[in-house]
Amino acid sequence: GAMFRREMYDQVGGMREDIDADEDWAMWLRYWKIARRIDDTCPDIPRTVSMFGYPSDPVAAQRRLEAYEVYDRIMLADPDLFYTLTPEKVTMLIRQCKQDLAHLNIVGGLEELLNTRSEEDAWVPEDMSQPMQLTAKQLNGLYHALLCSACEHKARGTLPEWLATETIR
């Protein structure tokens, strides 16, 4: 669970009821625009505490995927969801994602997460040496780029070495 002030929940408009998938993530993206982290230099929780899985029933899984497509159209296209990040912040995000990937690799949940990657959605900033404004879609693309790279390094047998770096590829 997470704790936040009620005023913040009200300020971002609460939970989205017009989408049936990732409504919690949509709220966190809006929180990120107005809030600060406890400690900006490290994850608030230093390990993965949950994993998302698709239903095993193919029909239910397809319905869930279709709900995520609605989320993608609504939230990832929202021009108001953009974040100004320094190169250090982008590096920190990469480091934190890799820490989660490393933990999932240890506990045996990495393969399931890598199966959610989308090469089509993968995106990497051209120049990470300057502050940049990243949209929610670009942040999502950065995440998919990391998953694609993790999959490639896992196949090559270089996953542990890559996880220890702060690079995307």
Side-chain angles (χ1 to χ4, degrees):
M3 295 179 70
F4 48 86
R5 296 190 182 278
R6 175 64 191 226
E7 296 85 28
M8 195 164 81
Y9 179 83
D10 293 337
Q11 185 177 350
V12 300
M15 192 74 80
R16 300 269 319 239
E17 294 184 26
D18 60 334
I19 55 178
D20 191 32
D22 271 345
E23 57 280 356
D24 56 340
W25 180 234
M27 186 174 63
W28 295 119
L29 286 173
R30 289 179 289 142
Y31 279 174
W32 198 19
K33 294 259 321 164
I34 62 169
R36 64 176 176 78
R37 294 179 58 135
I38 294 168
D39 181 348
D40 229 11
T41 63
C42 64
D44 296 325
I45 301 171
R47 62 186 174 82
T48 304
V49 294
S50 67
M51 285 177 35
F52 173 81
Y54 288 103
S56 58
D57 174 56
V59 174
Q62 184 59 38
R63 276 197 307 265
R64 190 71 177 156
L65 287 172
E66 289 168 2
Y68 282 116
E69 289 175 15
V70 172
Y71 161 79
D72 288 347
R73 282 195 310 274
I74 294 172
M75 292 305 296
L76 297 183
D78 186 342
D80 293 328
L81 284 178
F82 62 89
Y83 311 91
T84 302
L85 300 176
T86 63
E88 295 79 20
K89 292 257 188 184
V90 174
T91 300
M92 182 185 66
L93 286 172
I94 292 167
R95 184 181 319 118
Q96 290 170 351
C97 283
K98 284 187 167 190
Q99 287 171 349
D100 283 347
L101 293 173
H103 179 73
L104 287 172
N105 191 41
I106 290 168
V107 299
L110 183 61
E111 196 64 39
E112 182 178 354
L113 180 64
L114 294 182
N115 287 335
T116 68
R117 73 189 181 283
S118 168
E119 292 182 24
E120 180 181 310
D121 293 329
W123 175 84
V124 179
E126 290 180 26
D127 179 12
M128 292 191 357
S129 66
Q130 302 293 319
M132 60 189 96
Q133 285 195 335
L134 298 180
T135 64
K137 184 174 183 172
Q138 288 169 318
L139 284 171
N140 188 60
L142 182 61
Y143 172 75
H144 282 286
L146 285 165
L147 293 181
C148 290
S149 290
C151 193
E152 292 168 14
H153 284 279
K154 188 172 184 336
R156 284 190 224 142
T158 57
L159 184 64
E161 296 84 0
W162 175 75
L163 286 170
T165 70
E166 294 182 343
T167 61
I168 297 172
R169 300 283 180 200

